[in-house]
Amino acid sequence: DAGITQSPRHKVTETGTPVTLRCHQTENHRYMYWYRQDPGHGLRLIHYSYGVKDTDKGEVSDGYSVSRSKTEDFLLTLESATSSQTSVYFCAISGLAGVDEQFFGPGTRLTVL
Amino acid sequence: GENVEQHPSTLSVQEGDSAVIKCTYSDSASNYFPWYKQELGKGPQLIIDIRSNVGEKKDQRIAVTLNKTAKHFSLHITETQPEDSAVYFCAAIMEYGNKLVFGAGTILRVKS
């Protein structure tokens, strides 16, 4: 998985609780992304980062925030989890060999009850 | 913004046959089109990609074709094997920023 780890790999939480997912890379890539994957929707971009402390919104950013204080770490936070945020979350990186190719982590399965 | 449609949603083929998955995109400025393979419980893996300055690219049993005029691109897998069974996603890069827009995916089943 191109030196990308995600933690936790599985999480069950309750509606209204805050949740933070972590993506860690050892590849020194500039760009990092958070996607969610849901049946029938493919992968949809939540937020992305183009450098330390530089982030921008994606297609489905409502209810999510991100932070990137170091090149290697990109955090996704659900401030108050809802059942509609039950999904599989993938982190991706790009930008060393080229700005286009993205490489994905193993994913985090999040269930919000 | 960019929109990517992918067909079919499921595809069953006999081992040894060919499989073709097609995608269309809406943004004529898109210039990068990757294909990903996702096995159960894993993250998507880039298998082949094509840029808008070429019409076809091959890598062993896998090929991708691009028709910029018609705004569609296709994945071709020849001599399919059971290990080709997976979900395949096409994508196109948006004009601004390194943001990919994905198709909804195709479940490929190769029957032995």
Side-chain angles (χ1 to χ4, degrees), chain A residues 6-22 34-39 46 62-65 76-91 106-113:
Chain A
Q6 293 184 231
S7 59
R9 295 293 314 277
H10 302 270
K11 186 171 182 67
V12 180
T13 191
E14 294 188 350
T15 297
T17 60
V19 176
T20 295
L21 308 183
R22 180 185 184 230
W34 278 107
Y35 292 88
R36 61 177 289 173
Q37 184 176 32
D38 305 290
I46 304 171
D62 288 348
Y64 302 95
S65 62
L76 177 70
T77 298
L78 291 65
E79 301 290 347
S80 178
T82 67
S83 59
S84 64
Q85 294 175 312
T86 293
S87 187
V88 181
Y89 291 86
F90 287 99
C91 174
T108 294
R109 181 172 294 276
L110 176 67
T111 302
V112 183
L113 302 175

Side-chain angles (χ1 to χ4, degrees), chain B residues 1 3 17 19 33 39 49 79 87-88 98 101:
Chain B
N3 182 50
D17 288 349
F33 308 92
E39 297 177 340
D49 56 15
E79 301 174 12
V87 181
Y88 291 81
N98 304 317
V101 177

Side-chain angles (χ1 to χ4, degrees), chain A residues 9 31 33 35 37 40-43 45 48 57 90 94 99-106, chain B residues 31-32 36 38 41-44 46 49 51 89 93 97-105:
Chain A
R9 295 293 314 277
Y31 297 90
Y33 310 81
Y35 292 88
Q37 184 176 32
H41 290 279
L43 294 112
L45 183 65
Y48 71 104
K57 296 179 179 180
F90 287 99
S94 73
V99 295
D100 297 330
E101 296 90 346
Q102 292 188 19
F103 304 96
F104 283 79
Chain B
N31 59 10
Y32 175 68
Y36 286 84
Q38 186 178 28
K42 296 185 178 181
L46 180 67
D49 56 15
R51 299 185 186 276
F89 293 97
I93 202 160
N98 304 317
K99 295 188 282 188
L100 288 175
V101 177
F102 285 81

